[in-house]
Amino acid sequence: MEILDLIRIIDLTGVAVFAATGSLAASRKQLDIIGFALMATLTGVGGGTLRDILLDRPVFWIEDQIYLLICFGVAVLVFISAHRLQRRYVALLWADAVGLSVFAVMGAHIALRAGSEPVIATVFGVMTATFGGLLRDVVAGETPLALKQEVYVTAALVASGLYVLANLMAIPALFAVLAAAMAGFIVRGGAIQFGWVLPGYKSRAGRDYT
């Protein structure tokens, strides 16, 4: 498989999976079909839209309508089938883990192709992977996953950073894409399954200067 074909598949898969998480969030809020479509679209294309605007490149879903059609199609599919998922929040978490890992790699790849430096490309990968989910959670009135103590943004950073590092080391692109996305998914999956967290800040009493 050519790397461009793989990147295209990852891109479309990421949009579909994130659109599904937006639709699942809509099902938990018992929204109508228009609400499902809105949540699916916000989540599916939100991160990539911010990335393209900041990189001053054509916004991907304006250039190709297939992304919006995928979001709408996923919204309808989840609307008629979400009731079959008894644990919809768990399904949302695992679907989000897939979208997070593939979008982190996709965002970093596009940023590198646009001429971004490695650190900036890594940040764009994280941004692409997390912004759509942030929009979903804010609109749904829930605490964003990105702001919870469990490992989330870190998983996107692992996937994005590993892809950029592999690119710098001239590792074959096909292997770099698959390995980086898998690493990000494993880290996020571990957080879901085993409750992995990073150490949090512990407040301490301030000094008394009087």
Side-chain angles (χ1 to χ4, degrees), residues 1 13 16-17 21 24 50 62 66 73 88 97 102 128 133 143 148 159 163-164 166 171-173 178 183 192 195 200:
M1 178 184 295
T13 300
V17 171
T21 71
L24 286 171
L50 179 62
I62 295 177
I66 187 63
R88 280 173 286 185
V102 299
T128 305
T143 302
K148 292 184 177 180
Y163 178 76
V164 171
I171 292 175
L178 295 176
I192 296 171

Side-chain angles (χ1 to χ4, degrees), residues 89 93 96 100 126 129-139 141-156 188 196-201:
Y89 187 67
L93 288 177
D96 187 83
L100 183 82
V126 174
T130 59
F131 189 68
L134 182 65
L135 284 176
R136 175 198 64 217
D137 295 338
V138 169
V139 173
E142 300 177 347
T143 302
L145 287 172
L147 299 182
K148 292 184 177 180
Q149 190 178 9
E150 65 185 79
V151 170
Y152 185 77
V153 176
T154 304
R188 179 58 187 146
W196 292 352
V197 297
L198 294 178
Y201 173 75

Side-chain angles (χ1 to χ4, degrees), residues 8 14 36 73 129 168:
R8 174 69 168 176
F36 271 67
L168 291 174

Side-chain angles (χ1 to χ4, degrees), residues 78-205:
V78 176
F79 184 80
I80 62 178
S81 63
H83 64 283
R84 297 181 181 275
L85 289 171
Q86 295 181 355
R87 303 179 66 190
R88 280 173 286 185
Y89 187 67
V90 174
L92 184 150
L93 288 177
W94 283 104
D96 187 83
V98 175
L100 183 82
S101 57
V102 299
F103 260 25
V105 172
M106 189 67 199
H109 172 79
I110 289 176
L112 287 173
R113 289 188 61 188
S116 297
E117 295 295 328
V119 173
I120 303 302
T122 302
V123 171
F124 269 113
V126 174
M127 181 188 304
T128 305
T130 59
F131 189 68
L134 182 65
L135 284 176
R136 175 198 64 217
D137 295 338
V138 169
V139 173
E142 300 177 347
T143 302
L145 287 172
L147 299 182
K148 292 184 177 180
Q149 190 178 9
E150 65 185 79
V151 170
Y152 185 77
V153 176
T154 304
L157 181 61
V158 167
S160 178
L162 282 180
Y163 178 76
V164 171
L165 180 61
N167 187 270
L168 291 174
M169 296 173 64
I171 292 175
L174 180 61
F175 177 79
V177 168
L178 295 176
M182 181 59 67
F185 179 76
I186 289 173
V187 172
R188 179 58 187 146
I192 296 171
Q193 188 69 28
F194 305 112
W196 292 352
V197 297
L198 294 178
Y201 173 75
K202 302 297 183 181
S203 61
R204 296 178 292 273

